[in-house]
Structures are given as C-alpha cells and as structure tokens.
Amino acid sequence: MSKLEQAAQGAGVTILCEMGLDPGIDHMLSMKMIDEAHALNGKIKAFTSFCGGLPSPAAANNPLAYKFSWSPAGAIRAGRNPAVYKFLGEIIDVDGSKLYESAKRLRLPELPAFALEHLPNRNSLMYGDLYGISKEASTVYRSTLRYEGFSEIMAILAKIGFFDAENHPLLQETDRPTYRIFLNDLLDVNNVSTSNTKVNGEETGGHDDELISRLMMLGHCKEKELAVKILKTIKFLGLHEETQIPKDCSSAFTVICQRMEQRMAYGHNEQDMVLLHHEVEVEYPDGRPTEKHQATLLEFGKTENGRPTTAMALTVGVPAAIGALLLLQNKVQRKGVIRPLEPEIYIPALEILE
C-alpha cells in the first residue's frame, strides 16, 4: 500500500490504512499516550503492547484454552514467525522455530482473574520508528496474548512434527492411514495393540503408556505431568483415533489444521474475547519520578436478537467504519497513504470508539 504514496499525494486523495484492532486501535492508543507525554516534556523510556483474540474464560474449555475464529493454518503459521524487539537497550532476535519457547507469563494487576502469557509479535522495532520513539525508548516490545500453557503445548506439537508442511510419505498412499498409525509413525511407536482399560471414562495402559514413554524418551517432555497434558491434547484433537485420514491431507500440518478446525471452533453460544493492553514508562528531565501510563481494552462477543457478533468482528470492524466516517466528513486533511497516527484522526476516532 505504501508504494501508492506518491500517486495518492498527486491525486490529492487520502488512503487511510491500518484502522482495525491490531494494527488500528493499538496505534491510536499508543500515539495518544506518547503525544501526551511529549507535550509535558517527557521521554518514553519503555513501550510495551500486549494484544490477543481469545475465547472468553467460559469458552476456553479445551487443553489449549484456545479456539479459532479464523483459519488454524494462519494462526499456526503466525506462531512460527521470527521476531525482533528491543529490551533494556538490547536487540533481541527470536528464531521462528523457538517462538513458542520464548513465551512468558503475564499477570495484569487490574485483571487478576486472567492467567496469561505473551509471545513476541514479529518486528517490534518498526513501531519504535513509526511512533517516533526509537531514539529515546530502551524497550520497544509488541506481543500476542494467549492463556497460560498454550505455548508449552504448541511447542511440543511442533517437536513431534505436527507443523511440518512438506508432504509426508504415509499420506501419499491411496490406502489411507488412520490418525493412530500416523501418530505412531511421528513418535516412532511400534504399533501397540494391547487392550486399554477405562478408569472414570479415561483409557489407561497400553497405547497411552506407550505414547507417554515415547514423548519422554524422545526428549519432547521432561516431566511425566507434561507428557500427560500432551496426551490429553492429542486425544482431544482425535489424533489417536482409529479412523482414516481424509484424502486432502498430505502433510502433518494439514492433518493438525483439519483436526483443529473440527475440534477447536466456537460453539453456538460461546463468546470470544479481545484484550489489548499498553504500558508506557515516561521519564522527565527535571527530576520528577518516572510515570507508568496504561491503557486497556477488554471486549467480549455479544448476542443481540439471537444474532452473535464476535469481539474480533467488533474491534476490527468498528474502527474501519469510524475511519470511513471521518473521511466522508472531510475531517482528515492529510493526503497520501496514512496510518491513524495523527491527532486529527486518533482524537475523534477514540472518542467515537469509547
């Protein structure tokens, strides 16, 4: 889009981009806090932003505490992106294959009921440039929010090989393998057909024990407790079932995406949730104490007259509508391809949004 800048300037038109949730509402809240600090002669010492689309706590009812309101393939690929950010003056690079391992626990004092974790989100450094704080801020960090425990499970599913996108030999045969045969192949398990007994409706012994021991023997899980959690996830997703894998699955990645799409979609009356949280540390030259400024947006999906609207649809759609409204009312004077970083956009937009 930015390549259209000269043409848009020449034609005297405004192309307003990044008017969603993230990027969008996050830009506007950031610039409001940064501009207010600068107006008081403050310097931004640290900028951190956390944002996530999650199930509401009541809908986070599976081992991953996550559901997909969009393509699992897109969400899984996002979890394999490399990331870079600045922390206390140091540039930190995170390899895409290690992204899930880099997740850190997060507790927000004003929302104590949420057990969260955060993962670095792609290139945070460009936001330091966009917001004009690269030279003054020693920390610039943007991240994705999940409920605690999500990344630990996803990291192990990746180690098992479930996110490998290349064609798998077993899945090229016309004679389709079952999910169980495919799982055994990934874990290098000899096909165990020992009979399982059921305790409280849960299978024990036989194949379960074999899987737990393989997860630990291959070094995927160090503690048995974690291996049991992975086994629960595998069972929840039906990756152990004796049913044939469909013909359109040709890689481990397509197998897990197909299973996640079936097992991790929102139910009819289930709510999603959006949480956006910014923290800005401001220091002043005259010896005043450093201040910490925060902005939080928490939104839940709604149902009106039997019609559900997701929090994601609201938080992505409403700012776009506000942007259209500001353009139609000629409130935006700047021409070219722009983001909502100027007071002429973010001040009225945030008022309407609130």
Side-chain angles (χ1 to χ4, degrees), residues 30 74 171 180 259 332 334 345:
S30 303
L171 299 171
R180 180 173 287 212
R259 274 323 212 189
V332 184
R334 213 165 142 218
I345 302 168

Side-chain angles (χ1 to χ4, degrees), residues 29-327:
L29 285 175
S30 303
M31 287 313 298
K32 182 172 189 282
M33 295 164 88
I34 290 165
D35 285 348
E36 283 172 356
H38 284 162
L40 295 169
N41 211 18
K43 276 190 174 171
I44 307 302
K45 190 178 169 187
F47 170 84
T48 49
S49 170
F50 308 95
C51 187
L54 294 160
S56 66
N61 52 7
N62 64 48
L64 284 150
Y66 190 73
K67 289 195 173 160
F68 294 100
S69 54
W70 58 304
S71 142
I76 292 168
R77 282 194 196 102
R80 312 287 282 161
N81 286 322
V84 58
Y85 60 93
K86 185 157 69 163
F87 182 69
L88 300 178
E90 191 185 343
I91 303 296
I92 312 285
D93 282 290
V94 182
D95 188 88
S97 63
K98 298 275 187 290
L99 190 76
Y100 287 125
E101 278 100 329
S102 73
K104 292 184 176 65
R105 188 173 178 269
L106 178 70
R107 293 293 180 273
L108 300 175
E110 62 273 36
L111 295 171
F114 289 120
L116 300 162
E117 64 186 29
H118 57 93
L119 299 135
N121 188 353
R122 302 199 196 198
N123 181 359
S124 294
L125 304 182
M126 63 176 271
Y127 288 84
D129 297 338
L130 278 180
Y131 299 161
I133 57 170
S134 288
K135 289 188 171 70
E136 63 198 79
S138 61
T139 295
V140 179
Y141 177 71
R142 280 170 45 93
S143 68
T144 302
L145 288 175
R146 293 289 179 260
Y147 287 119
E148 196 171 25
F150 171 85
S151 300
E152 182 179 53
I153 294 173
M154 292 292 272
I156 291 165
L157 291 176
K159 281 180 188 168
I160 293 169
F162 272 115
F163 300 154
D164 295 346
E166 54 278 355
N167 285 347
H168 192 284
L170 264 187
L171 299 171
Q172 309 317 304
E173 311 287 323
T174 37
D175 191 16
R176 303 303 289 169
T178 64
Y179 290 98
R180 180 173 287 212
I181 287 170
F182 186 64
L183 173 68
N184 288 345
D185 183 79
L186 290 181
L187 288 173
D188 204 14
V189 171
N190 304 318
N191 258 321
V192 186
S193 57
T194 37
S195 60
N196 291 1
T197 53
K198 286 200 170 189
V199 177
N200 298 330
E202 287 284 312
E203 283 185 358
T204 60
H207 194 244
D208 286 14
D209 286 347
E210 178 80 0
L211 290 180
I212 287 169
S213 68
R214 286 307 294 168
L215 285 165
M216 294 181 74
M217 216 186 302
L218 293 167
H220 297 332
C221 301
K222 287 189 175 70
E223 297 96 24
K224 186 173 180 181
E225 193 184 353
L226 180 55
V228 170
K229 203 189 283 185
I230 300 305
L231 179 68
K232 274 187 180 161
T233 308
I234 283 169
K235 292 181 137 190
F236 166 73
L237 290 170
L239 295 165
H240 68 311
E241 289 177 2
E242 297 275 21
T243 50
Q244 284 188 330
I245 296 175
K247 284 192 176 64
D248 55 355
C249 292
S250 58
S251 66
F253 181 69
T254 49
V255 169
I256 201 159
C257 286
Q258 176 248 14
R259 274 323 212 189
M260 284 180 162
E261 210 160 304
Q262 289 170 342
R263 308 279 167 109
M264 292 173 69
Y266 282 92
H268 179 56
N269 284 320
E270 288 186 327
Q271 284 179 307
D272 73 327
M273 177 183 99
V274 161
L275 177 56
L276 170 66
H277 180 77
H278 283 338
E279 292 183 2
V280 174
E281 274 184 55
V282 188
E283 56 183 4
Y284 296 95
D286 55 7
R288 270 183 288 166
T290 300
E291 291 178 356
K292 193 174 184 180
H293 296 232
Q294 304 188 83
T296 308
L297 164 75
L298 177 63
E299 183 68 29
F300 291 92
K302 294 173 170 48
T303 302
E304 281 174 30
N305 306 323
R307 287 186 60 187
T309 306
T310 62
M312 188 58 77
L314 283 167
T315 53
V316 171
V318 172
I322 292 170
L325 199 64
L326 295 177
L327 290 173

